[in-house]
Amino acid sequence: MATIGLIGAGRIGSQIARLAVANGYKVVISNSRGPETLSGLVAELGPNARAATPAEAAQSGDIVVTIPLREHRAVPVEPLAGKIVIDTNNYYPQRDGHIPELDNESTTTSELLQAHLPTSKIVKAFNHIYAAALTTDGQPAGTKNRRALVIAGDDQGAKAAVTRLLDQFGFDTVDAGPLEEGWRIQRDTPGYGPRRTAEELRRDLAAAKRYANR
Ligand SMILES: NC(=O)c1ccc[n+]([C@@H]2O[C@H](COP(=O)([O-])OP(=O)(O)OC[C@H]3O[C@@H](n4cnc5c(N)ncnc54)[C@H](OP(=O)(O)O)[C@@H]3O)[C@@H](O)[C@H]2O)c1
Protein backbone atom coordinates (compact mmCIF):
# COMPACT_ATOMS: atom_id res chain seq x y z
CA MET A 1 0.00 0.00 0.00
CA ALA A 2 1.54 3.34 -1.05
CA THR A 3 1.82 6.20 1.42
CA ILE A 4 1.07 9.86 0.93
CA GLY A 5 2.89 12.19 3.30
CA LEU A 6 1.42 15.56 4.11
CA ILE A 7 3.43 18.50 5.40
CA GLY A 8 0.52 20.69 6.40
CA ALA A 9 -2.92 19.31 7.25
CA GLY A 10 -5.23 22.32 7.18
CA ARG A 11 -8.02 22.87 4.67
CA ILE A 12 -6.35 21.46 1.57
CA GLY A 13 -4.08 18.94 3.31
CA SER A 14 -6.92 17.36 5.28
CA GLN A 15 -9.01 17.02 2.13
CA ILE A 16 -6.18 15.35 0.22
CA ALA A 17 -5.73 13.02 3.20
CA ARG A 18 -9.45 12.12 3.07
CA LEU A 19 -9.28 11.34 -0.65
CA ALA A 20 -6.07 9.36 -0.21
CA VAL A 21 -7.50 7.13 2.52
CA ALA A 22 -10.73 6.67 0.58
CA ASN A 23 -8.65 5.47 -2.37
CA GLY A 24 -6.58 2.92 -0.47
CA TYR A 25 -3.48 4.90 0.48
CA LYS A 26 -1.85 5.20 3.84
CA VAL A 27 -1.36 8.78 4.98
CA VAL A 28 1.09 10.38 7.36
CA ILE A 29 -0.03 13.88 8.25
CA SER A 30 1.91 16.66 9.95
CA ASN A 31 1.64 20.32 10.79
CA SER A 32 3.66 23.00 12.59
CA ARG A 33 2.16 22.43 16.05
CA GLY A 34 2.88 18.74 16.56
CA PRO A 35 1.21 15.36 15.95
CA GLU A 36 -0.91 15.53 19.11
CA THR A 37 -2.86 18.45 17.61
CA LEU A 38 -3.97 16.19 14.74
CA SER A 39 -5.61 13.46 16.84
CA GLY A 40 -9.13 14.43 15.74
CA LEU A 41 -8.28 14.20 12.06
CA VAL A 42 -6.42 10.91 12.57
CA ALA A 43 -9.46 9.47 14.35
CA GLU A 44 -11.68 10.57 11.48
CA LEU A 45 -9.33 9.14 8.82
CA GLY A 46 -9.07 5.76 10.51
CA PRO A 47 -6.42 3.03 10.80
CA ASN A 48 -4.51 3.92 7.63
CA ALA A 49 -3.67 7.38 8.94
CA ARG A 50 -1.18 8.56 11.51
CA ALA A 51 0.19 11.90 12.60
CA ALA A 52 3.91 12.59 12.77
CA THR A 53 6.48 15.35 12.42
CA PRO A 54 7.03 16.98 9.01
CA ALA A 55 10.36 15.11 8.73
CA GLU A 56 8.62 11.77 9.36
CA ALA A 57 5.84 12.59 6.91
CA ALA A 58 8.50 13.45 4.32
CA GLN A 59 10.39 10.23 5.07
CA SER A 60 7.31 7.99 4.97
CA GLY A 61 5.62 9.33 1.86
CA ASP A 62 6.01 7.78 -1.58
CA ILE A 63 4.40 11.01 -2.70
CA VAL A 64 4.58 14.03 -0.40
CA VAL A 65 2.32 17.07 -0.45
CA THR A 66 3.69 20.33 0.95
CA ILE A 67 1.46 23.15 2.04
CA PRO A 68 3.17 26.10 3.67
CA LEU A 69 4.42 28.67 1.11
CA ARG A 70 5.73 31.22 3.58
CA GLU A 71 7.44 28.39 5.45
CA HIS A 72 8.66 26.48 2.41
CA ARG A 73 12.28 26.73 3.49
CA ALA A 74 11.30 24.72 6.59
CA VAL A 75 10.33 21.75 4.41
CA PRO A 76 12.90 19.01 5.11
CA VAL A 77 15.23 18.52 2.14
CA GLU A 78 17.08 15.24 2.64
CA PRO A 79 14.08 12.92 3.23
CA LEU A 80 12.47 14.26 0.06
CA ALA A 81 15.49 13.66 -2.19
CA GLY A 82 14.38 12.03 -5.44
CA LYS A 83 10.72 11.91 -4.40
CA ILE A 84 7.59 13.24 -6.04
CA VAL A 85 6.54 16.36 -4.14
CA ILE A 86 3.24 18.08 -4.87
CA ASP A 87 3.03 21.84 -4.40
CA THR A 88 -0.53 23.05 -3.74
CA ASN A 89 0.41 26.63 -2.98
CA ASN A 90 -0.87 29.98 -4.12
CA TYR A 91 0.67 33.34 -3.37
CA TYR A 92 -1.40 35.88 -1.47
CA PRO A 93 1.01 38.60 -0.26
CA GLN A 94 -1.42 39.82 2.39
CA ARG A 95 -1.45 36.31 3.88
CA ASP A 96 2.00 34.99 2.99
CA GLY A 97 4.03 38.20 3.36
CA HIS A 98 5.78 39.71 0.35
CA ILE A 99 8.13 37.39 -1.52
CA PRO A 100 10.10 39.62 -3.94
CA GLU A 101 10.69 36.90 -6.60
CA LEU A 102 6.95 36.28 -6.76
CA ASP A 103 6.09 39.99 -6.69
CA ASN A 104 8.32 40.61 -9.73
CA GLU A 105 7.13 37.37 -11.39
CA SER A 106 10.66 36.11 -11.95
CA THR A 107 9.59 32.74 -10.53
CA THR A 108 6.53 30.79 -9.35
CA THR A 109 5.62 29.09 -6.08
CA SER A 110 6.54 25.65 -7.41
CA GLU A 111 9.88 26.81 -8.76
CA LEU A 112 10.67 28.30 -5.33
CA LEU A 113 9.99 24.89 -3.81
CA GLN A 114 12.06 23.21 -6.54
CA ALA A 115 14.98 25.52 -5.73
CA HIS A 116 14.68 24.49 -2.07
CA LEU A 117 14.37 20.77 -2.95
CA PRO A 118 16.80 20.46 -5.87
CA THR A 119 16.59 16.69 -6.39
CA SER A 120 12.86 16.28 -5.66
CA LYS A 121 10.39 15.98 -8.53
CA ILE A 122 8.03 18.87 -7.95
CA VAL A 123 4.56 18.79 -9.48
CA LYS A 124 2.16 21.70 -9.10
CA ALA A 125 -1.36 20.39 -8.46
CA PHE A 126 -4.57 21.04 -6.52
CA ASN A 127 -3.93 24.81 -6.28
CA HIS A 128 -7.01 26.02 -8.16
CA ILE A 129 -9.80 23.95 -6.62
CA TYR A 130 -11.50 24.96 -3.39
CA ALA A 131 -10.59 22.44 -0.76
CA ALA A 132 -14.24 21.58 -0.05
CA ALA A 133 -14.84 20.72 -3.71
CA LEU A 134 -12.17 18.02 -3.66
CA THR A 135 -14.53 15.62 -1.91
CA THR A 136 -17.68 16.67 -3.77
CA ASP A 137 -16.62 17.19 -7.41
CA GLY A 138 -14.74 13.97 -8.16
CA GLN A 139 -16.36 11.53 -10.62
CA PRO A 140 -15.33 8.17 -12.11
CA ALA A 141 -13.03 8.12 -15.14
CA GLY A 142 -14.97 8.42 -18.39
CA THR A 143 -17.80 10.52 -16.91
CA LYS A 144 -18.97 13.07 -19.48
CA ASN A 145 -17.87 16.62 -18.61
CA ARG A 146 -15.74 15.38 -15.73
CA ARG A 147 -13.98 18.13 -13.80
CA ALA A 148 -10.30 18.57 -14.68
CA LEU A 149 -7.37 19.87 -12.66
CA VAL A 150 -4.13 21.39 -13.91
CA ILE A 151 -0.67 20.05 -13.23
CA ALA A 152 2.73 21.47 -14.12
CA GLY A 153 6.16 19.95 -13.66
CA ASP A 154 9.54 19.24 -15.19
CA ASP A 155 9.61 15.46 -14.64
CA GLN A 156 7.39 13.47 -16.98
CA GLY A 157 7.34 10.37 -14.78
CA ALA A 158 6.27 12.40 -11.75
CA LYS A 159 3.54 14.09 -13.77
CA ALA A 160 2.29 10.70 -14.96
CA ALA A 161 2.13 9.50 -11.34
CA VAL A 162 0.21 12.60 -10.23
CA THR A 163 -2.13 12.21 -13.22
CA ARG A 164 -2.91 8.64 -12.02
CA LEU A 165 -3.49 9.95 -8.50
CA LEU A 166 -5.87 12.66 -9.72
CA ASP A 167 -7.72 10.10 -11.83
CA GLN A 168 -8.18 7.92 -8.74
CA PHE A 169 -9.38 10.98 -6.83
CA GLY A 170 -12.00 11.62 -9.53
CA PHE A 171 -10.50 14.21 -11.85
CA ASP A 172 -9.16 14.53 -15.37
CA THR A 173 -5.80 16.26 -15.75
CA VAL A 174 -4.56 19.05 -17.99
CA ASP A 175 -0.80 19.39 -18.26
CA ALA A 176 0.23 23.05 -18.38
CA GLY A 177 3.82 22.09 -19.22
CA PRO A 178 6.98 22.71 -17.17
CA LEU A 179 6.96 24.27 -13.70
CA GLU A 180 7.67 27.70 -15.15
CA GLU A 181 4.26 27.59 -16.86
CA GLY A 182 2.49 27.10 -13.52
CA TRP A 183 1.66 30.82 -13.38
CA ARG A 184 -1.07 30.11 -15.96
CA ILE A 185 -3.26 28.73 -13.17
CA GLN A 186 -2.24 31.13 -10.41
CA ARG A 187 -4.64 33.37 -8.47
CA ASP A 188 -6.82 35.60 -10.67
CA THR A 189 -6.34 33.63 -13.89
CA PRO A 190 -9.48 32.41 -15.73
CA GLY A 191 -9.13 28.77 -14.62
CA TYR A 192 -8.53 29.58 -10.96
CA GLY A 193 -11.50 28.42 -8.89
CA PRO A 194 -14.42 27.48 -11.12
CA ARG A 195 -15.40 23.97 -12.15
CA ARG A 196 -13.88 23.31 -15.55
CA THR A 197 -13.66 20.38 -17.95
CA ALA A 198 -10.31 19.59 -19.56
CA GLU A 199 -11.27 21.38 -22.76
CA GLU A 200 -12.35 24.51 -20.87
CA LEU A 201 -9.21 24.49 -18.76
CA ARG A 202 -6.98 24.31 -21.84
CA ARG A 203 -8.68 27.45 -23.13
CA ASP A 204 -8.25 29.11 -19.73
CA LEU A 205 -4.55 28.30 -19.66
CA ALA A 206 -4.07 29.75 -23.13
CA ALA A 207 -5.93 32.95 -22.16
CA ALA A 208 -4.03 33.52 -18.88
CA LYS A 209 -2.04 36.73 -18.53
CA ARG A 210 0.83 37.57 -16.21
CA TYR A 211 -0.03 40.20 -13.59
CA ALA A 212 2.34 42.68 -15.25
CA ASN A 213 0.51 42.39 -18.58
CA ARG A 214 -2.99 43.10 -17.35
N1 LIG B 1 -8.07 26.25 1.20
C1 LIG B 1 -8.26 26.02 -0.09
O1 LIG B 1 -9.42 25.91 -0.59
C2 LIG B 1 -7.06 25.84 -1.00
C3 LIG B 1 -7.25 25.24 -2.24
C4 LIG B 1 -6.17 25.05 -3.09
C5 LIG B 1 -4.92 25.49 -2.69
N2 LIG B 1 -4.75 26.11 -1.50
C6 LIG B 1 -3.40 26.61 -1.15
O2 LIG B 1 -2.78 25.64 -0.31
C7 LIG B 1 -2.00 26.32 0.68
C8 LIG B 1 -2.54 25.97 2.06
O3 LIG B 1 -3.86 26.43 2.16
P1 LIG B 1 -4.84 25.93 3.30
O4 LIG B 1 -6.11 26.65 3.05
O5 LIG B 1 -4.84 24.45 3.36
O6 LIG B 1 -4.11 26.53 4.59
P2 LIG B 1 -4.38 26.16 6.12
O7 LIG B 1 -5.74 25.61 6.30
O8 LIG B 1 -3.95 27.37 6.89
O9 LIG B 1 -3.34 24.98 6.40
C9 LIG B 1 -1.94 25.20 6.39
C10 LIG B 1 -1.29 23.99 7.01
O10 LIG B 1 0.15 24.12 6.90
C11 LIG B 1 0.70 23.82 8.18
N3 LIG B 1 2.00 24.45 8.36
C12 LIG B 1 2.30 25.76 8.42
N4 LIG B 1 3.62 25.92 8.61
C13 LIG B 1 4.17 24.69 8.67
C14 LIG B 1 5.47 24.19 8.85
N5 LIG B 1 6.52 25.00 8.99
N6 LIG B 1 5.67 22.84 8.86
C15 LIG B 1 4.61 22.00 8.73
N7 LIG B 1 3.35 22.41 8.53
C16 LIG B 1 3.12 23.73 8.51
C17 LIG B 1 -0.32 24.31 9.17
O11 LIG B 1 -0.08 23.74 10.42
P3 LIG B 1 -0.46 24.55 11.77
O12 LIG B 1 -1.93 24.80 11.71
O13 LIG B 1 -0.05 23.61 12.85
O14 LIG B 1 0.37 25.80 11.72
C18 LIG B 1 -1.61 23.83 8.51
O15 LIG B 1 -1.84 22.46 8.80
C19 LIG B 1 -2.12 27.82 0.36
O16 LIG B 1 -1.03 28.21 -0.43
C20 LIG B 1 -3.42 27.91 -0.39
O17 LIG B 1 -3.49 29.04 -1.24
C21 LIG B 1 -5.80 26.26 -0.63
Side-chain angles (χ1 to χ4, degrees), residues 143-172:
T143 305
K144 197 166 183 294
N145 294 325
R146 193 187 197 202
R147 185 167 183 171
L149 298 178
V150 171
I151 60 167
D154 297 337
D155 186 286
Q156 297 305 324
K159 286 202 285 195
V162 174
T163 298
R164 285 194 293 277
L165 185 71
L166 286 173
D167 188 48
Q168 288 179 316
F169 285 4
F171 301 93
D172 286 345

Side-chain angles (χ1 to χ4, degrees), residues 9-12 31-33 67 88-90 95 126-127 129 131:
R11 277 163 293 203
I12 192 88
N31 64 7
S32 74
R33 287 166 295 147
I67 307 298
T88 73
N89 282 304
N90 298 298
R95 179 193 69 188
F126 297 110
N127 78 296
I129 179 169

